């Protein structure tokens, strides 16, 4: 008879198998049995196990699964095998990596005395204990463990520790049925133990022992993507083992004779108005023309998803380096609804090459906005006609439709749903469940857009506070727990996505602009120039205040005014105030967000009324959420929804009231008809504005990378042409140095490296590079063109430059015409360079003696094959201004000085730094060709000249001409 049997599930452990530890344990513990379950390993794990059994034939047992079934099934197999074939007192299971040693696991059996039938270890870091875990695993584990503790309603610190010891009698009851989850079966074990002993007695039967040592030895067999699935597994487990499942004696069957006409009507309204506003063809996944042919934000969102699906997986999960190449970005910064992008990327190979989900997402927004509006109004027993009218107001509100240009921001249903779960009474929905749903809403919003997440998170605070202070339906502990779990879950999602915690310097678009893209005090009644048939557009401080656009519509304005007047009466009704006092935190919260959207610079029309000094942290927060005008949305929906509710309660004839409301709905729709019907979107596949897409794709396919010059420009030849170039580059699966992102990494270092490579003629540094530029920037390529290191083609007003070792002539049918273009540009550049080579002034060195000093700064100095590249600034140090001054680059040998005039560049930063009156015209970016100078060694310097030489400065740079 054995004292203890230890079951160890194994899967591909050949490399990590701890031979020494097993041998040492078995040698010193003859009364122990170790049962290995080889769970379909594809490596040579079986040999390791057989070798060990050869050494200890009586103390080692081996069970094999032909195919991998997961840890839960392996542990169950091992327990049943041991229970059926061996005699012992206790049985345990451990992970094969022996994060907990065999000796410590064995020692836990000493706690199985009298009434204690189950002992499990917990990983608690304390003095005297060695607990070595990866921080990421620890954080994930704590979130899961806390959640499980709440589900179990047991004060268990660590349910997932892989060291658990049972009395044999208990194990025979626990490991009978298969487990629901492969990896969360530990939770099911606890539920099964509760079922055996009863919840009241179970705490007397189990014991949690802090471990002395836990060492995380290797990578987990659990895939990272399981984090998203485990929540569903938990729900299944909770449902399976719940003792509160209702017993349905008379199961209702669906009847076509009793449909939910309200829901059907709502769905029909949504479909009708979506068709009128956008067209139902938007939901067709292969219809991408409407997104790309618009040449605005839609194209950015689609291209972000397209490049993300082609990018390799990495961590963080949302990172991609083929978009905004080579610096890379994150799918969260292209506003491509990262939650859906992450969910669909694993199935990318099964999707069509042109695939979009944005249209379906927008239709879903229509439906969910409407459904949660219905649910709120039903709480207040609003009649169905008014409910249907309210649905029309919500799904056609100018605020909502205007956001159609940004699909992620159409998910206003997250706000409306948060309203519903806040307003839902405990008698209708369990408060704990409501709070968990609110946590889910926040996590969803975090995966859709950070602006929505910021708004929805507020509900994760006010809902538990309302439950604790007003309803008295949850404990203080729960009121604290839910906001913490919400923010932790959201930040965890952002961390694994990669929108926070990115290494290196980044800049937030618009940071520091708090007070610009704000809510104007006239926003609720300002239709601007196109959203009303009756009202004229009102003035605003700037177009940036469109971020706070929130026109109510004439019908809704009238409803709001009527309700405002009636509310003056309600304010004095103490009974009503007492009954609905729980709404006060919601109202105050929406007011707080409204104030944030207004900012400290309060505006009405085109006037700034006043500016309030505010703390720096609010300015910083406002800089992060630069489009702070959007934070008026929760108040907007509060105003609309509660105006409708109060209107429905007006003490007038019901038929008259309904008739007036229907009339106002008609007035509303007529007033905002332009906002509803103004879109005429394209349908089908997309063709760019370029003349021959197939030709461009073929060209791009010949290269390893496409470098636009300048890189990261939205427009080179025509407006937003970066979208066409990126679309074609994605078809060629070639990365390109352009794109538009909400948050950018610094580009100056990469730009400098490109310029250095161009000047040096480095066009083949391990990659076949195609440079794409325009005639405005062709002079940047003067040196390699002059040295005949490159070939050149002109296509659709773009100039293509690449190494002359690469042959793509076959792709150009009219090669003669392209050759003429190339020869023309070559001859023009050669002529210019030859002219510049002799375009210098030769002076005696004596003329630069005894002059003022030149103050200078050099950003770049390089010399390649007699081509000198100099970029920086210079000025006469004593002077306050440099009007009419010319800056010359001087090349001085022992006898003479050669002066090359520069084209000046404005550098106001230099004026500011040196506190001069005005020396803005002190910058330059100059290429000098020295092939006409005498062969000699030259010092590089600067001469400031205004009719005569005023100042000279010598640098440390020298070079020799060939």
């Amino acid at each position: 008879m054995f004292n203890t049997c230890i079951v160890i599930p194994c899967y591909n452990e050949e490399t990590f198998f701890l031979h020494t530890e097993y041998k040492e344990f078995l040698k010193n513990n003859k009364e122990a049995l170790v049962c290995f379950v080889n769970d379909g390993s594809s490596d040579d794990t079986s040999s390791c196990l057989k070798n060990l059994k050869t050494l200890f034939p009586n103390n080692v047992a081996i069970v094999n699964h032909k195919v991998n079934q997961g840890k839960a099934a392996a542990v169950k197999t091992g327990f049943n095998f041991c229970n059926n074939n061996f005699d012992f007192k206790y049985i345990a299971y451990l992970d094969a990596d022996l994060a907990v040693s065999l000796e410590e696991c064995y020692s836990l059996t000493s706690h199985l005395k009298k009434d204690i039938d189950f002992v499990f270890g917990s990983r608690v870091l304390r003095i005297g204990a060695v607990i070595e875990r990866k921080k990421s695993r620890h954080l994930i584990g704590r979130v899961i463990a806390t959640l499980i503790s709440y589900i179990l309603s047991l004060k268990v610190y660590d349910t997932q520790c892989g060291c658990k010891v049972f009395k044999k009698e208990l194990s025979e009851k626990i490991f009978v049925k298969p487990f629901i989850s492969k990896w969360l079966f530990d939770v099911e074990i606890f539920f099964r133990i509760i079922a055996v002993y009863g919840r009241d007695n179970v705490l007397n039967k189990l014991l949690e022992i802090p471990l002395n040592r836990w060492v995380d030895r290797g990578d987990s067999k659990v895939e990272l993507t399981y984090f998203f699935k485990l929540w569903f597994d938990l729900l299944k487990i909770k449902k399976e083992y719940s003792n509160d499942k209702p017993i349905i004696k008379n199961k209702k069957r669906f009847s076509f004779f009793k449909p939910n006409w309200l829901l059907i009507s709502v769905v029909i309204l949504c479909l009708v108005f979506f068709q009128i506003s956008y067209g139902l063809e938007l939901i067709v996944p292969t219809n991408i023309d409407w997104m790309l042919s618009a040449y605005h934000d839609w194209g950015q969102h689609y291209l972000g998803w397209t490049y993300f699906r082609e990018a390799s997986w990495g961590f963080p999960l949302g990172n991609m380096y083929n978009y905004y190449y080579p610096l890379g970005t994150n799918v969260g910064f292209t506003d491509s609804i990262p939650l859906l992008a992450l969910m669909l990327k694993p199935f990318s190979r099964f999707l069509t090459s042109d695939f979009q989900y944005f249209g379906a997402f927008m239709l879903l927004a229509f439906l969910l906005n409407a459904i949660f509006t219905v649910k709120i109004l039903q709480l207040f027993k609003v009649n169905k006609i008014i409910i249907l009218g309210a649905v029309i107001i919500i799904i056609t509100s100018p605020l909502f439709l205007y956001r159609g240009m940004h699909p992620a921001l159409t998910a206003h249903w997250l706000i409306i749903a948060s309203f519903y779960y806040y307003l839902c009474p405990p008698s209708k929905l369990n408060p704990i469940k409501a709070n968990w749903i609110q946590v889910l809403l926040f996590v969803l919003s975090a995966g859709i857009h950070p602006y929505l997440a910021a708004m929805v998170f507020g509900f994760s605070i006010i809902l538990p506070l309302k439950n604790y202070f007003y309803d008295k339906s949850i404990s203080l502990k729960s009121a604290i727990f839910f906001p913490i779990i919400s923010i932790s879950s959201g930040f965890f999602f952002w961390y694994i996505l990669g929108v926070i915690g990115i290494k290196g310097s980044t800049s937030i678009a618009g940071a520091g602009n708090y007070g610009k893209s704000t809510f104007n005090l006239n926003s609720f009644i300002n239709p601007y120039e196109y959203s009303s048939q009756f009202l004229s557009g009102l003035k605003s401080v700037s177009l940036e205040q469109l971020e706070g656009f929130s026109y109510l519509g004439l019908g809704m304005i009238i409803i709001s005014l009527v309700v405002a007047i009636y509310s003056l009466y309600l304010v004095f009704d103490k009974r009503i105030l007492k009954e609905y006092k729980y709404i006060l935190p919601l109202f105050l919260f929406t007011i707080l967000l409204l104030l944030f959207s207004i900012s400290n610079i309060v505006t009405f029309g085109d006037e700034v009324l006043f500016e309030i000094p505010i703390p720096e942290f609010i300015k910083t927060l406002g800089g992060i959420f630069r489009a702070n005008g959007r934070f008026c949305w929760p108040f907007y929906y509060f105003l609309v929804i509660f105006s409708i509710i109060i209107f429905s309660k007006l003490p007038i004839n019901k038929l008259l009231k309904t008739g007036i409301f229907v009339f106002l709905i008609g007035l509303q729709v007529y007033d905002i008809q332009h906002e509803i019907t103004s879109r005429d979107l394209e349908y089908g596949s997309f063709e760019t504005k370029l003349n021959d897409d197939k030709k461009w794709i073929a060209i791009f396919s010949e290269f390893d990378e496409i470098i636009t010059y300048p890189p990261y420009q939205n427009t080179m030849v025509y407006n937003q042409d970066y979208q066409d170039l990126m679309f074609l580059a994605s078809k060629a699966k070639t990365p390109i140095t352009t794109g538009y992102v909400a948050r950018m990494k610094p580009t100056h270092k990469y730009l400098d490296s490109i310029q250095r490579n161009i000047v040096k003629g480095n066009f083949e540094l391990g990659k076949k590079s195609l440079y794409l530029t325009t005639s405005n920037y062709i002079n940047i390529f003067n040196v390699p063109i002059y040295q005949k290191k490159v070939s050149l083609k002109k296509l659709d007003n773009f100039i293509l430059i690449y190494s002359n070792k690469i042959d793509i002539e076959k792709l150009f049918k009219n090669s003669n015409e392209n050759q003429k273009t190339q020869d023309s540009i070559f001859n023009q550049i050669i002529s210019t360079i030859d002219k510049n080579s002799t375009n210098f002034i030769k002076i005696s060195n004596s003329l630069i003696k005894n002059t003022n000093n030149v103050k200078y700064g050099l950003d770049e100095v390089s010399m390649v094959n007699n081509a000198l590249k100099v970029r920086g600034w210079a000025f006469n140090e004593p002077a306050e201004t440099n009007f009419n001054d010319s800056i010359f680059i001087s090349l001085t040998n022992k006898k003479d000085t050669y002066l090359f005039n520069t084209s000046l560049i404005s550098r106001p930063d230099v004026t500011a730094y040196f506190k001069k009156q005005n020396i803005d015209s002190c910058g330059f970016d100059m290429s000098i060709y020295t092939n006409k100078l005498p062969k000699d060694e030259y010092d590089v310097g600067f001469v400031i000249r205004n009719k005569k030489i005023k100042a000279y400065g010598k640098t440390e740079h020298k070079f020799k001409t060939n």
Side-chain angles (χ1 to χ4, degrees), residues 145-426:
T146 304
L147 177 60
I148 290 170
S149 179
Y150 268 82
I151 290 176
L152 289 169
S153 296
L154 291 176
K155 294 181 179 180
V156 180
Y157 178 82
D158 192 356
T159 58
Q160 301 308 106
C161 177
C163 177
K164 293 181 172 62
V165 188
F166 306 76
K167 285 184 179 177
K168 182 178 181 181
E169 296 77 15
L170 177 60
S171 71
E172 290 172 336
K173 298 174 183 177
I174 300 301
F175 292 86
V176 177
K177 296 194 305 181
F179 292 97
I180 293 172
S181 171
K182 288 184 178 181
W183 300 106
L184 288 178
F185 71 100
D186 306 74
V187 182
E188 296 185 63
I189 288 173
F190 281 92
F191 272 115
R192 292 181 182 186
I193 292 173
I194 292 170
V196 171
Y197 296 115
R199 186 171 293 278
D200 294 335
N201 193 41
V202 70
L203 292 177
N204 299 321
K205 294 293 184 180
L206 52 85
L207 192 62
E208 185 172 15
I209 303 296
L211 295 171
N212 292 320
R213 184 177 181 82
W214 171 284
V215 180
D216 197 346
R217 298 182 185 274
D219 293 331
S220 172
K221 297 291 194 301
V222 185
E223 296 180 358
L224 185 59
T225 54
Y226 183 69
F227 179 82
F228 300 99
K229 184 184 175 187
L230 70 85
W231 312 108
F232 297 98
D233 280 359
L234 280 172
L235 287 174
K236 289 180 184 177
I237 293 167
K238 176 67 174 174
K239 183 178 179 181
E240 176 66 23
Y241 294 97
S242 173
N243 292 323
D244 302 317
K245 289 191 292 184
I247 301 171
I248 304 173
K249 295 182 179 180
N250 298 313
K251 187 176 180 181
K252 293 183 179 180
R253 296 186 178 181
F254 177 80
S255 171
F256 287 97
F257 300 100
K258 291 184 179 180
N260 186 332
W261 288 111
L262 180 60
L263 179 60
I264 292 172
S265 301
V266 166
V267 171
I268 291 173
L269 282 174
C270 290
L271 293 175
V272 168
F273 278 102
F274 189 84
Q275 170 63 25
I276 294 171
S277 296
Y278 296 102
L280 287 168
E281 60 271 15
L282 257 66
I283 69 174
V284 177
T286 55
N287 176 16
I288 63 170
D289 200 13
W290 65 277
M291 301 195 74
L292 291 167
S293 61
Y295 290 96
H296 65 54
D297 290 350
W298 284 339
Q300 175 206 5
H301 310 326
Y302 173 76
L303 291 168
W305 148 246
T306 297
Y307 275 75
F308 178 65
R309 65 183 290 194
E310 295 170 357
S312 300
W313 281 109
F315 189 84
L317 300 180
N319 281 2
M320 52 180 169
Y321 292 92
N322 52 347
Y323 189 106
Y324 215 68
Y325 172 84
L327 302 179
T329 187
N330 189 281
V331 70
F333 299 147
T334 60
D335 292 332
S336 304
I337 314 177
L339 180 65
L340 291 181
L342 284 172
M343 292 170 64
L344 290 171
K345 182 173 179 175
F347 307 100
S348 182
R349 68 176 66 181
F350 306 109
L351 305 177
T352 56
S353 59
D354 294 340
F355 182 90
Q356 60 87 14
Y357 46 77
F358 300 91
F361 183 85
M362 291 166 70
L363 176 58
L364 182 66
F366 267 69
L367 292 167
L368 292 177
N369 278 2
I371 288 170
F372 281 107
T373 298
V374 170
K375 291 171 77 69
I376 291 172
L377 298 183
Q378 285 179 328
L379 290 176
F380 293 89
K381 297 180 172 57
V382 176
N383 80 63
K384 292 182 180 179
I385 299 298
I386 292 182
I387 286 178
L388 291 176
V391 165
I392 293 173
I393 288 176
I394 292 294
I395 65 176
T396 64
S397 71
L399 171 70
F400 174 59
L401 293 178
Y402 177 69
R403 288 298 155 188
M405 65 179 180
H406 204 141
L409 289 177
T410 62
H412 292 190
W413 57 270
L414 290 162
I415 299 171
I416 301 174
S418 297
F419 272 81
Y420 170 72
Y421 290 108
Y422 178 90
L423 296 168
C424 203

Side-chain angles (χ1 to χ4, degrees), residues 452-516:
L452 290 168
M455 298 176 211
V456 172
F457 175 66
F459 290 91
S460 296
I461 296 175
I462 64 171
L463 175 58
L465 290 179
K466 171 239 181 186
N467 292 146
Y468 178 71
F469 286 107
Y470 289 88
D471 303 334
K472 311 294 184 185
S473 56
I474 64 173
S475 65
L476 178 60
K477 183 178 179 181
S478 295
I480 296 171
F481 168 76
F482 282 112
I484 293 174
I485 195 66
S486 288
I487 196 68
S488 301
S489 301
F491 271 90
F492 176 74
F493 178 83
W494 283 332
Y495 173 73
I496 63 172
L497 177 66
V499 296
I500 60 172
I502 292 179
K503 294 181 179 179
S505 176
T506 57
S507 63
I508 299 172
N513 287 336
Y514 183 57
K516 293 184 178 180

